[in-house]
Amino acid sequence: MSDEGFPVEQIDTSRPHPARMYDYYLGGWDNYEVDREAADRVIELFPSIRPSARANRGFLQRATRFVTEQGIRQIIDIGTGIPTSPNTHETAQALSPEVRVAYVDNDPIVAAHAGARLTGTGNTGFFLGDVREPETILDHPTIRELIDFEQPVALLLVAVLHFVTDKEDPARLARILGDALPAGSYLVLSHGTADFFPDGSQTKAAKVYEGATATVNLRPHAEILPFFDGFDLLDPGLVQVPLWRPAPGDPVPDADELRRTGTFYGGVGYKA
């Protein structure tokens, strides 16, 4: 259910792309030399990025299972990134095969993989879109085909708003998207922070992204909380992602583990 045809030359291989760098952090192969070089510089400056990326991925999967268990049957996943299994639809549809998922990303290389990995069922679709243009996303034909805005929706903004600058007003973008959702919907959000790294190593690593297609804008807890305006933040609140409802049997992260994976805050909000 993807109609995103595009010429190969649209894939920018001259500058690193955050989605492809993230794929590299996760151990994937869908990246270019320019992405690996930039990612290796980040890893050198901030070795915690790799375990943090894996922790963020775990948060995405747990939160997706949670909203599905609450009865959500339609999901909008903005900032999908390079597909890494289990994907959002695989996680949700393992619990309920009728869950519909609309994937959105601004990188054509993600579209190149969408047909093989994201849109293999009748309940999934993908299109190129940018979180900075929320109205375009909400009005896209793929959204209108898959998502019924009369019924509750889960909106996933996982590790995407830190690529939006203050000037571009991420709180406004989150509000526009959240306002479009009916009561009973959920917001799943994670965001990069430097709160737990006073040595400045994470901030230095973030500067590597100044040569990429999008900069990283790390924010403190108090600046991320407003992204949940219009939603009731569920327990345990906005926390380091390993602390968000670890799965039964998962080891409780100790202080050392949290130091290694403290790059992201994560939380889930409910729209009453």
Side-chain angles (χ1 to χ4, degrees), residues 116-175:
R117 302 190 200 173
L118 298 180
T119 59
T121 76
N123 287 343
T124 61
F126 174 86
F127 64 94
L128 288 171
D130 197 309
V131 70
R132 299 171 185 84
E133 300 174 353
E135 294 90 352
T136 301
I137 291 174
L138 294 169
D139 291 337
H140 195 278
T142 299
I143 288 286
R144 294 299 170 180
E145 181 179 358
L146 283 169
I147 305 299
D148 176 7
F149 285 97
E150 298 298 317
Q151 300 296 323
V153 179
L155 170 65
L156 275 54
L157 296 175
V158 175
V160 64
L161 288 182
H162 52 236
F163 295 115
V164 177
T165 66
D166 289 344
K167 184 177 180 180
E168 292 165 327
D169 198 351
R172 180 185 68 85
L173 302 177
R175 185 170 60 252

Side-chain angles (χ1 to χ4, degrees), residues 34-49:
V34 66
D35 306 307
R36 293 188 288 274
E37 289 176 350
D40 281 337
R41 290 200 300 275
V42 172
I43 293 168
E44 181 180 358
L45 291 165
F46 186 65
S48 293
I49 187 60

